[in-house]
């Protein structure tokens, strides 16, 4: 996989990731409910088609989740985007919430929760709790991500069985440090060019 190749420069990683993120967002949008919609074409004829049943918003788990926002904006130009900052304690692998700023009407929207990596599921579970505490029904949350570990999928769906996960791939497992194997490394640091070399 080219995204996991450490020899790739950050600019190449960003270009590849952007392409995959846009495809993931498009796939996630396919999982939203539709309703019949009729529009009038420039010729004056009516066309019967489909439209989204509700409104959406994106919520990125900072910082790596912010790398996925442009893919969402390219598909939905005026989408509202919230932020949640959760940091994983490297010693315990447990998440801590530091910050959240969400659209005021988030409880009335379908939420695309954005984070490229799902390892243990701790950060995702905490972010879903934040969304639910703000009135978002669990079945209106779609977790959009690049790579999952099987353990993370199991943990998230055990804690929140009504959400949907849209991912590009499931890797083999977690290692003893709770990192995805083979994985992509620290995706946020690689994407934003702040990794130790």
């Amino acid at each position: 996989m080219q995204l996991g190749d450490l020899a790739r420069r950050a600019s190449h990683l960003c270009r590849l990731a952007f392409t995959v993120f846009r495809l993931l967002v498009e796939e996630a949008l396919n999982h939203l409910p539709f309703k019949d919609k009729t529009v009038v074409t420039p010729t004056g004829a009516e066309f019967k088609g489909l439209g989204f049943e509700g409104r959406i918003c994106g919520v990125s788990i900072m910082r790596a989740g912010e790398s996925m926002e442009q893919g969402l904006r390219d598909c939905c130009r005026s989408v509202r985007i919230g932020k949640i900052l959760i940091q994983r304690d490297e010693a315990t692998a447990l998440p801590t919430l530091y910050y959240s700023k969400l659209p005021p009407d988030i409880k009335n929207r379908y939420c695309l929760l954005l984070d490229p990596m799902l390892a243990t599921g701790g950060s995702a579970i905490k972010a879903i709790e934040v969304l639910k505490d703000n009135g978002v029904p669990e079945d209106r949350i779609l977790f959009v991500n690049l790579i999952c570990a099987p353990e993370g999928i199991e943990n998230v769906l055990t804690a929140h069985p009504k959400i949907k996960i849209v991912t590009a791939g499931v890797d083999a497992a977690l290692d003893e440090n709770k990192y995805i194997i083979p994985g992509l490394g620290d995706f946020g640091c690689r994407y934003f060019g702040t990794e130790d070399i």
Side-chain angles (χ1 to χ4, degrees):
M1 172 193 295
Q2 290 187 30
L3 284 172
D5 184 355
L6 279 178
R8 299 283 177 186
R9 295 170 46 160
S11 61
H12 187 73
L13 172 76
C14 292
R15 191 171 58 254
L16 288 172
F18 173 76
T19 301
V20 176
F21 292 156
R22 171 131 184 195
L23 292 170
L24 284 169
V25 167
E26 289 173 358
E27 179 58 30
L29 294 174
N30 287 332
H31 291 270
L32 296 175
F34 292 90
K35 63 181 177 182
D36 291 331
K37 182 175 182 178
T38 301
V39 297
V40 178
T41 70
T43 63
E46 287 189 353
F47 177 80
K48 295 182 188 306
L50 298 173
F52 286 123
E53 187 173 292
R55 295 178 297 164
I56 67 165
C57 72
V59 175
S60 59
I61 299 176
M62 297 166 64
R63 164 175 86 141
E66 293 172 309
S67 65
M68 302 176 76
E69 291 176 5
Q70 190 60 48
L72 177 57
R73 284 216 185 274
D74 282 353
C75 293
C76 307
R77 297 270 183 225
S78 62
V79 69
R80 294 179 181 191
I81 295 180
K83 306 278 187 174
I84 297 176
L85 175 58
I86 296 171
Q87 188 165 356
R88 179 172 101 159
D89 183 305
E90 294 303 324
T92 66
L94 296 175
T96 301
L97 173 67
Y98 286 97
Y99 172 83
S100 69
K101 183 69 173 173
L102 304 171
D105 63 346
I106 194 166
K107 68 182 178 184
N108 301 318
R109 295 178 178 271
Y110 288 89
C111 292
L112 277 65
L113 182 60
L114 309 172
D115 193 8
M117 309 298 287
L118 174 61
T120 64
S123 296
I125 290 168
K126 179 67 85 176
I128 293 165
E129 289 169 3
V130 170
L131 295 176
K132 289 173 65 175
D133 289 346
N134 281 274
V136 180
E138 191 172 289
D139 62 354
R140 287 182 164 232
I141 300 170
L142 289 91
F143 183 55
V144 183
N145 119 327
L146 184 60
I147 298 291
C148 294
E151 299 91 331
I153 295 170
E154 182 178 343
N155 291 338
V156 169
L157 293 179
T158 297
H160 303 289
K162 293 182 182 176
I163 74 150
K164 291 183 180 177
I165 298 175
V166 178
T167 187
V170 179
D171 270 357
L174 296 176
D175 68 9
E176 65 278 357
N177 296 314
K178 307 293 185 199
Y179 291 114
I180 300 171
I181 298 299
L184 301 174
D186 187 328
F187 185 85
C189 285
R190 289 184 64 213
Y191 184 89
F192 291 110
T194 58
E195 75 278 353
D196 293 331
I197 299 176

